[in-house]
Amino acid sequence: MSDTASNKKLIEQIFAAAGNTDPAVRDRSLFVASLADDAIWTVTGQYSWSRTFTGKPSILNDLHGLVRTRLAERTRTIAHRIIADGDHVVVEAKGDNVTREGVRYDNDYCLVFRFEGGRIKEIREYCDSVLTERALGKFPDEKARAAD
């Protein structure tokens, strides 16, 4: 299998496991295992969440950890289109989430994954920044200092 095909297949498997309709069986372990220790996740734009999270602990704790504290159930993001070319896989996706306060957080995403050595090395996230801040609030200052 080519790198393009294997990278695409891995992303398909990650989104299938994490997008299950039953929150009790949603599984992010394949994503976590596939993420390089020195990976970076860049939230693009010019709003409070815009920054680069460097390293697996920062991605999982500072970014995803904060999102998890704001949602009523485990995060669910459904991939609608996956396009792969070499070491890059691009995913168009839609969130299916509700905050603890009952606000819908169904963001539209374009996620660009870059692979290196079979592992996810870089992620660039494009989304509706207005919806993110309206539903999840501004990124907390104390977390911002830790993430940068």
Side-chain angles (χ1 to χ4, degrees), residues 42 80 93-94 130 135:
T42 301
H80 294 290
K94 178 105 176 151
V130 173

Side-chain angles (χ1 to χ4, degrees), residues 2-131:
S2 72
D3 285 347
T4 298
S6 62
N7 294 341
K8 182 177 182 182
K9 181 177 173 123
L10 178 59
I11 292 296
E12 288 170 340
Q13 292 170 332
I14 287 170
F15 274 86
N20 194 297
T21 56
D22 183 350
V25 295
R26 282 185 206 141
D27 186 5
R28 294 177 5 121
S29 62
L30 182 57
F31 169 74
V32 173
S34 302
L35 194 60
D37 290 339
D38 61 346
I40 62 171
W41 184 306
T42 301
V43 178
T44 63
Q46 297 180 11
Y47 69 115
S48 67
W49 289 73
S50 300
R51 68 194 70 256
T52 297
F53 299 86
T54 303
K56 193 176 198 174
S58 182
I59 292 167
L60 298 177
N61 300 323
D62 300 331
L63 175 58
H64 291 187
L66 179 59
V67 172
R68 278 192 310 274
T69 68
R70 297 293 302 123
L71 298 179
E73 296 179 341
R74 291 181 181 178
T75 307
R76 181 167 187 244
T77 305
I78 303 135
H80 294 290
R81 182 183 329 240
I82 299 175
I83 302 167
D85 183 18
D87 62 354
H88 285 84
V89 179
V90 178
V91 179
E92 287 183 278
K94 178 105 176 151
D96 179 24
N97 301 288
V98 179
T99 67
R100 294 181 187 271
E101 298 78 23
V103 176
R104 292 296 315 174
Y105 181 57
D106 299 335
N107 215 329
D108 290 299
Y109 297 97
C110 180
L111 300 162
V112 181
F113 295 84
R114 184 176 66 80
F115 283 80
E116 189 175 286
R119 299 180 62 117
I120 299 167
K121 182 74 171 186
E122 181 180 1
I123 303 161
R124 292 187 59 80
E125 173 184 322
Y126 302 86
C127 69
D128 181 345
S129 58
V130 173
L131 175 59

